[in-house]
Amino acid sequence: MTCVTTPENPARSRLVRMTARDPHEPGRTASTLELFFDLVFVVAVSVASVQLHHALTEGHVASGLASYGMVFFAIWWAWMNFTWFATSFDTDDWLYRVLTIVQMSGVLVLAAGIEPVFVDGDFTVVIIGYVVMRVAMIAQWLRASGAEGPTRGATRAYAAGIAVVQVCWLALLVLPEGVQGAAWVVLAAAELAVPVVAEHRGRTPWHPHHITERYGLFTLILLGESLLASSNAIIEALHDEADLGSLISLAVLTVVVTAALWWVYFWPPHHHALGTDARLSRSLRYGYVHYFVFAAAGAFSAGIEVEVDALTGHTALSDVGASFTVTIPIAVFVLGIWWIALRDSADRVVNAVVPVGALLVLCDPVVPVPVTLTAVIMVAVVVVLVLHPPLSAPRAPRAGRRRGPGAPASPGGSS
């Protein structure tokens, strides 16, 4: 039975037994604590995007992308884990709030360690911040495991799996620098495996509308970084009159593309992508592929900053290389959303236009004015979406096996 905090039921002042929430609870929306939690990720995402911008501008493309991919994994995984846990077990009492604030502190520590990763390849502070977040999650899972019921096996498996992996992350700090990259890949795979293993020991319920709202809110945070980049282009133009026209054009085109990405993301009803058939594969696909969607959105803002540097002659990249720092993230973002949310709600026309449009933006570097072709293509995609609304009854996924009746299984919010 779900415990609801109201003035008549002051759950915040006492501990509430942490039991699974009703996945069909009416009116379930993001709490103020969840919105507060997202604020610290604004900091982490901003720092990661800034450092990626610096790395790309200086011509350190391979190392910059590798560092960004690793750092963003930590950001995304920590956010995703809290989100899926909250949809299943949020009690909003004082202990739940304190542990959440501890996680937020870990995010800020992680953000402080992002620059050393890019500059010196030093993961010490990032791993410490990450482990702080994960230890708080272990405490949350242990608390959830105290309740009898079908979720008990899963909650214990989550707590044990996360604890083992965190010990391994700390051990990574003493490994030789030459093998740390390979060890990071292994441990990231271990993190991703924890939800898969745990969900086969029990089922943790999730609320489709709540989960997709949370993902949508985080997407807005990331797209906001792109709007900030557009604003920076205008600011730079005011200080560099020689490139005033080009920088203003870039700012306008950035707003157009960002708005189009927003339109594409929120066109399909995302809760249909998750479904209500308790299929683990669907929740894993939705949760895990969002790593690429989120990372691409963050990289898009860095790419706009690189374009600003290219227009003002402050980058080691060629004009073509600078353009690709914008178009590749856009293509990844659009293809990712098409794959996990859009295609099952779209007709044949939309399912042809959207992926083709995503690939065509990669031709943008042939156009002298940055982002122009991309903006035209994205506007055309939006026009098609307007003319072809989502299907009222989305097609069933092509693959996957039912796990049987009951509440849907969570992926890694799981971890």
Side-chain angles (χ1 to χ4, degrees):
M1 181 176 180
T2 302
C3 177
V4 180
T5 300
T6 65
E8 294 75 25
N9 179 26
R12 299 184 185 92
S13 62
R14 59 181 176 83
L15 293 182
V16 177
R17 188 183 182 193
M18 187 173 277
T19 56
R21 295 187 64 155
D22 180 4
H24 306 293
E25 178 183 342
R28 180 79 186 273
T29 59
S31 67
T32 56
L33 179 61
E34 289 175 308
L35 300 178
F36 186 38
F37 182 80
D38 287 352
L39 288 179
V40 296
F41 284 90
V42 175
V43 178
V45 168
S46 178
V47 174
S49 295
V50 167
Q51 292 303 316
L52 176 61
H53 159 222
H54 292 328
L56 294 176
T57 292
E58 294 167 6
H60 307 309
V61 177
S63 61
L65 290 176
S67 296
Y68 178 74
M70 290 186 282
V71 166
F72 202 92
F73 176 87
I75 296 171
W76 161 76
W77 193 242
W79 178 88
M80 177 171 158
N81 293 174
F82 169 79
T83 297
W84 287 87
F85 180 87
T87 200
S88 300
F89 298 104
D90 183 357
T91 58
D92 199 32
D93 57 18
W94 68 265
L95 181 55
Y96 178 85
R97 290 183 169 197
V98 169
L99 290 173
T100 300
I101 292 172
V102 171
Q103 290 177 260
M104 294 167 63
S105 301
V107 177
L108 295 177
V109 173
L110 184 150
I114 291 177
E115 183 177 1
V117 171
F118 279 84
V119 176
D120 304 314
D122 183 359
F123 288 89
T124 303
V125 178
V126 163
I127 289 179
I128 290 173
Y130 181 76
V131 170
V132 168
M133 293 185 288
R134 306 301 279 144
V135 168
M137 278 307 307
I138 294 171
Q140 297 276 38
W141 281 113
L142 287 174
R143 186 180 173 198
S145 70
E148 297 287 348
T151 64
R152 193 170 193 179
T155 54
R156 289 181 172 181
Y158 275 120
I162 297 170
V164 170
V165 177
Q166 299 325 294
V167 172
C168 294
W169 280 117
L170 292 174
L172 182 147
L173 295 176
V174 301
L175 293 177
E177 185 175 335
V179 300
Q180 285 186 349
W184 182 93
V185 173
V186 172
L187 292 179
E191 291 276 17
L192 294 172
V194 170
V196 179
V197 174
E199 290 297 333
H200 283 88
R201 294 180 176 271
R203 289 184 292 176
T204 55
W206 45 261
H207 194 293
H209 290 276
H210 176 250
I211 280 292
T212 53
E213 180 194 21
R214 297 291 293 121
Y215 274 80
L217 290 171
F218 199 68
T219 300
L220 292 177
I221 289 174
L222 292 164
L223 293 179
E225 293 291 326
S226 302
L227 296 178
L228 177 61
S230 174
S231 176
N232 288 339
I234 296 175
I235 294 172
E236 187 69 27
L238 297 178
H239 293 87
D240 195 335
E241 295 183 2
D243 295 295
L244 180 62
S246 297
L247 289 168
I248 294 297
S249 297
L250 176 62
V252 173
L253 292 171
T254 299
V255 172
V256 171
V257 173
T258 303
L261 294 179
W262 165 81
W263 205 304
V264 170
Y265 185 93
F266 290 99
W267 180 82
H270 280 243
H271 61 279
H272 287 166
L274 283 173
T276 57
D277 57 1
R279 193 174 297 170
L280 178 60
S281 61
R282 296 186 71 177
S283 55
L284 288 174
R285 183 187 71 169
Y286 187 85
Y288 286 9
V289 175
H290 257 91
Y291 166 74
F292 300 99
V293 174
F294 287 164
F300 172 52
S301 65
I304 294 300
E305 297 282 8
V306 173
E307 279 285 11
V308 172
D309 290 340
L311 291 174
T312 56
H314 296 105
T315 179
L317 293 178
S318 65
D319 290 342
V320 172
S323 292
F324 276 126
T325 65
V326 175
T327 58
I328 291 177
I330 292 172
V332 172
F333 181 97
V334 174
L335 287 173
I337 290 304
W338 173 77
W339 176 257
I340 62 178
L342 192 148
R343 64 193 179 112
D344 291 330
S345 296
D347 60 20
R348 291 181 179 180
V349 174
V350 172
N351 276 328
V353 169
V354 173
V356 170
L359 295 176
L360 285 177
V361 301
L362 298 177
C363 299
D364 190 276
V366 303
V367 178
V369 182
V371 195
T372 302
L373 180 60
T374 296
V376 171
I377 292 171
M378 292 306 301
V379 168
V381 168
V382 169
V383 170
V384 171
L385 294 180
V386 171
L387 296 177
H388 296 262
L391 301 177
S392 57
R395 291 186 299 274
R398 298 167 179 78
R401 184 166 57 90
R402 289 184 181 273
R403 293 179 46 144
S410 102
S414 340
S415 91

